[in-house]
Amino acid sequence: MKITSLRYKPHNLLFLVLLSIALYSCSATRGNASSSYQSTTVSYYANKFNGNKTASGEVYKHSKMTAAHKSLAFGTEVEIINTENSKKVIVIVNDRGPLKAGRAFDLSQGAFKKIGSLNDGVLKVKYKVMK
């Protein structure tokens, strides 16, 4: 019976290191979108903004599912859920704001209406960045 010695050759070690890095990278990229919800309040755009340009250059329309956020990249999709009734909407960030402290988003009127009533003015929500 022949016994072979287990020796690490440099190319085997290099393969293991590269494989470990690749596996770690794959798990890290899945975590780019926030996996947990955060709480905040949201309001909506006033009528006077309909038809004006947003910070991204798009024209704001009440009917679109869009939002303003202070720092998320334009084009970021965010799921927003009303904590009172569990209604949800997915919006795309295309503007900067809100100016009111304590609020993470200003929603288009169309998005706000999907999860609440315009009469409410401000809603308590939880949100998660999708992509």
Side-chain angles (χ1 to χ4, degrees), residues 41 43 68-70 96-101 103-106:
T41 57
S43 56
H69 187 273
K70 290 180 179 101
R96 292 292 173 230
L99 300 177
K100 185 78 171 177
R103 290 191 195 145
F105 298 93
D106 275 338

Side-chain angles (χ1 to χ4, degrees), residues 34-51:
S34 176
S35 60
S36 62
Y37 288 90
Q38 297 179 41
S39 296
T40 190
T41 57
V42 297
S43 56
Y44 61 89
Y45 282 80
N47 286 329
K48 68 181 181 180
F49 295 109
N50 198 41

Side-chain angles (χ1 to χ4, degrees), residues 23-121:
L23 290 173
Y24 178 77
S25 297
C26 288
S27 66
T29 55
R30 279 191 305 189
N32 280 348
S34 176
S35 60
S36 62
Y37 288 90
Q38 297 179 41
S39 296
T40 190
T41 57
V42 297
S43 56
Y44 61 89
Y45 282 80
N47 286 329
K48 68 181 181 180
F49 295 109
N50 198 41
N52 289 350
K53 279 195 173 183
T54 63
S56 69
E58 290 180 44
V59 174
Y60 169 73
K61 292 184 182 175
H62 287 319
S63 60
K64 292 198 171 188
M65 300 299 117
T66 58
H69 187 273
K70 290 180 179 101
S71 61
L72 288 175
F74 296 139
T76 300
E77 289 183 9
V78 182
E79 179 183 51
I80 298 180
I81 302 173
N82 182 333
T83 57
E84 301 273 324
N85 62 18
S86 299
K87 290 183 179 180
K88 59 178 91 173
V89 66
I90 294 178
V91 295
I92 298 174
V93 175
N94 73 340
D95 202 6
R96 292 292 173 230
L99 300 177
K100 185 78 171 177
R103 290 191 195 145
F105 298 93
D106 275 338
L107 303 181
S108 65
Q109 286 190 20
F112 194 93
K113 285 195 254 185
K114 285 220 178 230
I115 61 172
S117 168
L118 294 182
N119 292 332
D120 295 332

